[in-house]
């Protein structure tokens, strides 16, 4: 099973298959991020994804899981990253569901 299959499995309820080094990126606004985000996630609002992704993830082969409130914005972000040449991108859906699937805490504030 390759890493993308492992991410897809993890997002379907098998958190042990998620690569430990996958980047979690929350594409919601900074205010939404501070109100509650998956532990270890970076905040990169959707409107800044194209301009700032290379600063956060310079290696286009790095596994990335994008998420938002319900999955719509993260789907758009995945499409943007794929157009920019990122080839290891998955849509994690909504913050609450992803935190449950990955068995990670929801953090408040900028941490």
């Amino acid at each position: 099973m390759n890493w993308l299959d492992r991410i897809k499995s993890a997002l379907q309820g098998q958190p042990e298959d998620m690569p430990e080094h996958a980047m979690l990126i929350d594409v919601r606004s900074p205010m939404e991020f501070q109100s509650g985000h998956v532990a270890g996630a970076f905040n990169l609002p959707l409107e800044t994804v194209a301009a700032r992704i290379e600063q956060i993830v310079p290696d286009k082969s790095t596994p990335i899981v994008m998420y938002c409130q319900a999955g719509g914005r993260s789907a758009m972000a995945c499409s943007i990253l794929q157009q920019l040449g990122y080839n290891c991108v998955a849509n994690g859906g909504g913050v609450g569901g992803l935190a449950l699937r990955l068995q990670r805490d929801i953090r408040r504030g900028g941490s």
Side-chain angles (χ1 to χ4, degrees):
M1 180 182 290
N2 69 30
W3 74 268
L4 185 57
D5 291 333
R6 289 192 307 265
I7 287 178
K8 288 178 181 177
S9 293
L11 298 177
Q12 294 171 357
Q14 300 172 14
E16 66 276 2
D17 289 338
M18 178 100 168
E20 289 183 30
H21 61 284
M23 298 282 298
L24 296 180
I25 299 181
D26 185 323
V27 297
R28 299 175 301 154
S29 72
M31 184 177 285
E32 289 174 296
F33 181 79
Q34 289 185 7
S35 73
H37 58 274
V38 178
F42 291 90
N43 184 219
L44 185 61
L46 178 61
E47 62 273 7
T48 67
V49 166
R52 294 191 49 223
I53 189 62
E54 288 185 8
Q55 296 169 352
I56 295 171
V57 187
D59 181 355
K60 293 184 178 186
S61 65
T62 300
I64 302 171
V65 176
M66 312 294 280
Y67 74 90
C68 58
Q69 189 63 35
R73 286 178 280 181
S74 52
M76 288 187 273
C78 285
S79 178
I80 291 167
L81 292 188
Q82 290 166 345
Q83 291 173 15
L84 292 173
Y86 287 82
N87 55 13
C88 304
V89 181
N91 183 352
V95 60
L98 182 62
L100 285 173
R101 287 191 302 274
L102 298 179
Q103 299 175 350
R104 292 200 187 180
D105 293 334
I106 297 284
R107 299 281 168 89
R108 305 221 186 283
S111 60

